[in-house]
Structure formats: C-alpha cells, structure tokens
Amino acid sequence: MKLRPLRDQVLVRRFESETTSSGGIVLPGKAEKTNRGEVVATGAGRIDNNSNLIELVVKVGDKVVFGGYHSDSNTIKIDGVEHVLMSESDILAVIEAE
C-alpha cells in the first residue's frame, strides 16, 4: 500500500523501540512506543489566508522527533511496519547528523 498525504500532513515510519535489561541485554519491542521516526511521505504544504502555498520544512528521509501522543486513529500499518500520520506542526525537531 502506498499513501500520499494531503496538505500539511506527514507520514512518519516510527522507529522500533528498544530497552536494555540490567545485564545489558537489548530487549527489542518491550518499551513504550518511541516518538522518533523517519519521514516517508509528505503533502504539498498548507494554504495560508491569502491562498498561497506554504511548503513544508521537513522532507522525505528526515529523521524527526514528534509529540508523544498520537491516537490509534493516526497509526497505520503498512507492510507490517507502524507509521504515524500527523500534521507537520506535530514534529518538534529534525535529527541532524553529527
């Protein structure tokens, strides 16, 4: 399935969460859902009050941090991988390479 978000909507593939036991063993998928992911699709942008298109700041491939709460109605499984559909304003930061 392929989705094309509309307006200022962004489709983010949520990163898998991992926890580490007290002994240092990685336990994948045992933690709460992470609030980080990668942008996989974007809409064209939002329309301002003067009918001008304001392009999105984020682009496909950006790794982002987003607000912690998203309802299950915004969560979509595509090919078994969890994605979140959100407004660009829900994205708090872009993770940049060091």
Side-chain angles (χ1 to χ4, degrees):
M1 172 172 43
K2 185 169 182 168
L3 291 179
R4 182 176 51 93
L6 302 177
R7 296 178 300 282
D8 69 335
Q9 297 296 302
V10 178
L11 185 65
V12 176
R13 179 177 42 87
R14 190 188 297 261
F15 292 150
E16 290 188 24
S17 57
E18 292 184 345
T19 58
T20 305
S21 70
S22 59
I25 299 172
V26 176
L27 306 169
K30 296 292 182 183
E32 293 182 17
K33 292 182 179 181
T34 181
N35 65 338
R36 296 177 186 210
E38 181 177 353
V39 176
V40 294
T42 65
R46 68 177 178 85
I47 305 295
D48 69 8
N49 293 337
N50 296 320
S51 299
N52 297 314
L53 178 67
I54 308 297
E55 292 183 10
L56 300 180
V57 174
V58 298
K59 60 187 182 309
V60 172
D62 282 347
K63 292 173 180 43
V64 296
V65 178
F66 50 89
Y69 177 77
H70 285 89
S71 69
D72 287 338
S73 64
N74 293 1
T75 301
I76 304 163
K77 281 213 172 189
I78 301 173
D79 298 328
V81 179
E82 188 170 300
H83 293 69
V84 182
L85 187 62
M86 66 184 75
S87 174
E88 185 186 41
S89 63
D90 292 333
I91 296 175
L92 306 175
V94 174
I95 301 169
E96 297 183 352
E98 293 182 27

